[in-house]
Amino acid sequence: MTTEPSTWVDAYGDRLYRYALSRVRDEGSAEDLVQETLLAAFKSRDRFKGESSELTWMTGILRNKIFELYRKQAREAPLAPAGDDDGPETEFFDARHWSAAAAPRDWAGEPALKAESAEFSAALGKCLGALAPNVARAFILREMEGAAPRAAAEALGVAPGHFAVLMYRARLRLRRCLEKGLFAPEST
Amino acid sequence: MSLLPSCRDVARHLSDSLDGGRHLGMHVRLHLSVCEVCRRVLAQFELIRRGAARVPEEGPSLTPESKARLRRALEPG
C-alpha cells in the first residue's frame, strides 16, 4: 500500500529529479524521466509491498528508465567501433610516461572527504559535460549507476573492448578535470 | 624496449582492473611499487568511483511549474 499519489510530487519529485539530472545532464529529459517514473509507480502501486521505502522503489523504476533512455539513444545514434589509435592519450603521455604538463599531482587536503561533498557532485557534473557524450554515458552507467561492464556495454550498443576504451578515456579526462577544478587547482 | 610496463600501460591496466577486465599482473605491481605517480592515479580513480556513486542530496529542484505539470499528470482520469 502506497501513500496518497497526490503527495508524491512534493515528497519525492526533487530527489528523483536530482538523481535523473545527475545521470542525463539535461533538464528536459530529467523532468520527462521523473514524470514517466511517477506514472509507472502510479500504475503499479497495487504491487508495492512496502519491502523498501517508496523512494527506493521509485528510484529503482527511474534507474530502469535511465537504462531504457540510453539504449534508445544508442539505437538512434550507434557508435562507430573504437579504433586502436593513440590519439586521445597523446595529450597525457610523452610516449611511455606522463607528460610534465599532465602528470597527476597530489590531491591536497582531505580528498576522501571532498569526494563525498556536494562540491564534488557539482564539479563532476561540469566535467562530465565536457566529455564526448559516449564517453560520459559509459562513465555514468558504470560508475554512477553501478552497472556491470557487460550490461553497460550492451546498453550502449558497443563491444566489451570498446567499452573498456571509453572507460579509460573517461577516467583520464575526469581525473584531470577534477584535479584542475577541485582537488588541486593551480594557484593563479 | 623495456619489458616493464610504462606509466601509460599501467594507467590502462588500472582502468581495466576497476572493471574486472584483468587482474594487475606482477609487472604492473612491480611498476606500482616504484612509481608514486601511478599509485596516485590508482587512488584517484578509486576516489572518483566513490564520489560518483553518491547520489547528490543538494542541487537543482523542479520548478513550481514543473511540479504543477507532474501533479496534473498524476491526477486520476
Side-chain angles (χ1 to χ4, degrees), chain A residues 31 116 142-143 171 175, chain B residues 15 19 44 54 69:
Chain A
E31 194 180 319
E116 303 278 313
R142 174 73 183 130
E143 300 288 51
R171 290 189 175 111
R175 197 214 62 75
Chain B
S15 178
D19 297 322
Q44 293 174 355
R54 196 181 147 272
R69 208 162 30 242

Side-chain angles (χ1 to χ4, degrees), chain A residues 35-37 41 48 86 96-97 99 114 147 162 165 172 186:
Chain A
Q35 178 164 330
E36 287 172 26
T37 298
F48 177 69
D86 290 337
R96 292 171 52 81
H97 300 288
S99 68
K114 227 181 241 183
H162 186 173
V165 172
L172 285 181
E186 281 164 23

Side-chain angles (χ1 to χ4, degrees), chain A residues 108-128:
Chain A
E110 296 196 55
L113 277 183
K114 227 181 241 183
E116 303 278 313
S117 67
E119 213 185 345
F120 176 89
S121 299
L124 179 64
K126 205 178 280 183
C127 291
L128 280 169

Side-chain angles (χ1 to χ4, degrees), chain A residues 67 69-75 77-79 133-142 149-159 162-163 166-167:
Chain A
F67 254 80
L69 176 67
Y70 275 35
R71 281 199 188 90
K72 182 167 166 270
Q73 286 171 336
R75 278 197 304 275
L79 300 178
N134 52 347
V135 176
R137 285 175 199 153
F139 181 85
I140 289 167
L141 286 180
R142 174 73 183 130
R150 195 165 286 277
E154 181 267 322
L156 294 174
V158 298
H162 186 173
F163 181 76
L166 295 176
M167 286 307 300

Side-chain angles (χ1 to χ4, degrees), chain A residues 10 14 18 31 35 39 86 95-97 104-107 115-116 120-121 142-143 149 168 171 175, chain B residues 4 6-8 15 18-19 40-41 44 49 51 54 57-58 60-62 66-67 69-71 73:
Chain A
D10 287 323
D14 285 338
R18 278 196 283 277
E31 194 180 319
Q35 178 164 330
L39 285 174
D86 290 337
R96 292 171 52 81
H97 300 288
R105 288 185 283 142
D106 194 15
W107 287 1
E116 303 278 313
F120 176 89
S121 299
R142 174 73 183 130
E143 300 288 51
Y168 177 51
R171 290 189 175 111
R175 197 214 62 75
Chain B
L4 282 181
S6 64
C7 291
R8 182 179 188 151
S15 178
L18 288 172
D19 297 322
R40 198 177 278 170
V41 171
Q44 293 174 355
R49 161 168 285 182
R54 196 181 147 272
E57 285 161 15
E58 298 165 45
S61 302
L62 288 162
S66 299
K67 285 189 178 176
R69 208 162 30 242
L70 290 171
R71 276 192 212 97

